[in-house]
Amino acid sequence: MNFENSLEFAKALDAQDPLKAHRESFLIPTFGKKNTVYFTGNSLGLQPKNAQKYILEELQDWANLGVEGHFEARRPWYSYHEILTEKTARIVGALPLEVCTTHSLTTNLHLLMSSFYRPQGKRTKILCEAKAFPSDQYALESQIRWHGLPASDLVMVGPREGEHLIHEEDIYAKIDALGDELALVLWGGVNYYTGQYFDLQQITQKGHAVGAVVGFDLAHAAGNVNLQLHDWGPDFAAWCGYKYLNSSPGGVSGYFVHERHAFRKDLPRLAGWWGHNKESRFKMEPGFDPLPGAEGWQLSNAPVLGMAAHLASLEIFDAAGMEAIGRKRDLLTAYLWFVIDEVSKRISENGVLEIITPENPEKRGAQLSMLLATHGIECFNRLSASGVIADWREPNVIRVAPAPLYNRFEDVYWFGQHLFKALQ
Ligand SMILES: *Cc1c(COP(=O)(O)O)cnc(C)c1O
């Protein structure tokens, strides 16, 4: 498509957008400004209008029913998480048996590693991205220490000298080189800093080929890119609910355990009563009997208010469907790329910034990361002052991510207008 950086063109794209009606299902902050642009759905997704309604319904049921709400509420609390399961499974391309939603991302990563990072003999190492999101970095370091192993057991692959993106062949080469010393590959689906989206199927195959376990952190991938977790076959994955999935600040988060592990009662794990057999849970007897599938990693009973917010968002995902979300994502992000590039070259012939995210739409999701040659923070502050909600990362990167469910092509146009002014 030949794009144009004009309001008419952006509006014409919006008019043809099959998902345009879903914007009406969200509360969009304006900060009292005109033409505000919210491009941080990759950091905190916006509030679905039904979130308040669903949370209020739970508060009413709690008021009217007290403890009886566990079984008598309109959506009984003892099984509340089950309402989220099929919708979540569709988003990440999994069987319902393979997913569950509860706790937070870092909690779930630790719980999954309690089963899937089992260093033994010389097979002790974990492979991850260099400069992984700090929480992941701490989680992995602490897992290694927890097992009494040296810090050097955490092995990283980063970009080559002077580059921003990771060559996928460097990941595969490192997996091969580590061979039978590699216990776990724990890779991010979409890198939070560059927006690079990795070939998760290939990483799974390469990791399994040397006998390692493969897990993914999909914080920036779930609800953003089109995942097929069951078919790709990683052992486990976890993501947060509050980024592209709009589950509310710190909201409940999902995780995946592949079907091949679903009935493995022998897997060691850190257990709690909600992972125990539903039939005998309330007998309160000793002897943990894990539920089949991902549910067997739940510790505690469902945090219902957070889940009510998440339900509101998952219903919108279901109505839109990941296929259509993916098509809009690619068009919206390609248009954003075009507009940023046009503005940058209008300021100076050779451009004043570089988009470090891959240009190939198969290698990225909704996010573009702009590296500014100079005055990055000044530009970012001016954008903020004019009503652009974006994200600043040291040393010189501004991240922007249009979310297909609520961002418009018109937002991209206004972003370009604000950017032009901010760069001058
Ligand atoms: C956002 C994010 C987190 C946050 O972890 P929480 O446990 O939800 O606070 C962790 N890892 C990655 C890769 C993230 O992008």
Side-chain angles (χ1 to χ4, degrees):
M1 186 180 295
N2 287 326
F3 291 133
E4 283 170 35
N5 185 7
S6 75
L7 186 57
E8 295 67 38
F9 188 82
K11 285 189 164 175
L13 286 177
D14 280 323
Q16 295 163 21
D17 169 15
L19 299 186
K20 61 175 181 263
H22 294 296
R23 180 176 170 87
E24 297 307 315
S25 305
F26 289 89
L27 295 163
I28 317 273
T30 66
F31 300 92
K33 298 194 173 89
K34 273 181 61 186
N35 304 321
T36 305
V37 177
Y38 191 87
F39 273 176
T40 39
N42 58 339
S43 181
L44 185 73
L46 290 179
Q47 183 182 145
K49 286 180 181 164
N50 275 344
Q52 191 177 33
K53 173 170 179 273
Y54 292 171
I55 290 171
L56 279 176
E57 286 172 0
E58 298 312 324
L59 291 175
Q60 280 158 4
D61 285 353
W62 182 22
N64 296 332
L65 299 167
V67 71
E68 302 297 332
H70 281 301
F71 295 95
E72 304 298 329
R74 66 197 94 187
R75 303 179 191 92
W77 304 331
Y78 85 100
S79 57
Y80 198 103
H81 64 281
E82 293 173 16
I83 316 174
L84 312 177
T85 299
E86 293 202 358
K87 298 179 194 313
T88 301
R90 284 192 275 276
I91 291 172
V92 298
L95 306 176
L97 175 71
E98 294 172 318
V99 299
C100 187
T101 306
T102 193
H103 319 132
S104 64
L105 168 56
T106 309
T107 308
N108 287 334
L109 279 176
H110 275 303
L111 292 174
L112 292 164
M113 283 192 279
S114 79
S115 299
F116 293 109
Y117 176 53
R118 307 296 305 168
Q120 249 176 12
K122 62 191 288 205
R123 197 181 279 287
T124 57
K125 292 188 170 143
I126 301 180
L127 182 72
C128 73
E129 315 149 76
K131 291 206 288 178
F133 193 89
S135 192
D136 296 32
Q137 193 98 17
Y138 307 147
L140 296 175
E141 282 168 16
S142 65
Q143 281 284 332
I144 284 171
R145 285 192 65 187
W146 176 252
H147 286 280
L149 295 166
S152 55
D153 274 358
L154 185 57
V155 180
M156 303 182 202
V157 177
R160 293 180 190 171
E161 187 71 29
E163 299 184 10
H164 302 290
L165 303 175
I166 298 176
H167 291 255
E168 289 181 311
E169 62 263 34
D170 292 354
I171 309 170
Y172 310 147
K174 186 59 90 178
I175 291 173
D176 284 341
L178 291 170
D180 60 4
E181 295 177 9
L182 184 59
L184 171 66
V185 179
L186 195 292
W187 205 263
V190 174
N191 182 275
Y192 79 100
Y193 181 71
T194 61
Q196 180 177 11
Y197 175 30
F198 295 95
D199 186 334
L200 303 183
Q201 186 170 23
Q202 277 289 328
I203 293 176
T204 304
Q205 281 171 6
K206 302 280 181 188
H208 284 169
V210 300
V213 171
V214 177
F216 294 123
D217 182 329
L218 303 176
H220 284 267
N224 175 23
V225 293
N226 299 72
L227 301 164
Q228 291 300 336
L229 291 183
H230 175 77
D231 291 348
W232 298 344
D235 297 282
F236 69 94
W239 52 91
C240 30
Y242 51 80
K243 288 174 180 163
Y244 292 95
L245 294 175
N246 322 303
S247 75
S248 79
V252 286
S253 298
Y255 62 92
F256 164 93
V257 176
H258 196 274
E259 187 186 24
R260 78 177 79 90
H261 301 299
F263 300 96
R264 289 191 54 194
K265 294 191 181 189
D266 63 304
L267 272 177
R269 65 185 94 192
L270 296 176
W273 73 321
W274 230 250
H276 184 89
N277 184 347
K278 289 172 204 179
E279 309 309 320
S280 57
R281 183 185 289 152
F282 292 103
K283 295 201 178 117
M284 309 287 199
E285 283 166 350
F288 179 69
D289 178 18
L291 283 169
E295 287 192 334
W297 275 265
Q298 295 173 101
L299 295 183
S300 305
N301 70 97
V304 163
L305 299 184
M307 288 183 175
H310 199 24
L311 174 61
S313 171
L314 293 180
E315 285 179 347
I316 305 169
F317 271 90
D318 242 5
M322 277 309 297
E323 288 295 314
I325 291 172
R327 281 192 295 274
K328 177 165 174 190
R329 173 201 62 225
D330 287 344
L331 193 58
L332 195 58
T333 309
Y335 188 49
L336 178 60
W337 187 298
F338 168 84
V339 167
I340 292 172
D341 201 47
E342 194 277 327
V343 165
S344 165
K345 290 182 176 145
R346 211 175 339 135
I347 299 277
S348 158
E349 205 176 325
N350 295 319
V352 290
L353 57 82
E354 178 194 352
I355 301 175
I356 60 174
T357 307
E359 190 160 10
N360 177 356
E362 287 173 11
K363 293 287 163 200
R364 67 174 190 229
Q367 173 182 325
L368 297 182
S369 299
M370 308 187 293
L371 177 71
L372 281 82
T374 57
H375 298 91
I377 190 71
E378 285 85 352
C379 175
F380 177 76
N381 289 338
R382 285 176 166 197
L383 282 172
S384 304
S386 67
V388 173
I389 315 304
D391 178 89
W392 170 252
R393 291 286 139 168
E394 294 292 343
N396 248 339
V397 167
I398 298 174
R399 300 185 305 164
V400 282
L405 282 180
Y406 49 76
N407 282 120
R408 302 167 301 184
F409 293 89
E410 188 179 331
D411 295 339
V412 172
Y413 169 78
W414 290 118
F415 177 76
Q417 297 297 106
H418 293 307
L419 183 64
F420 183 71
K421 283 195 202 121
L423 287 171
Q424 278 175 330

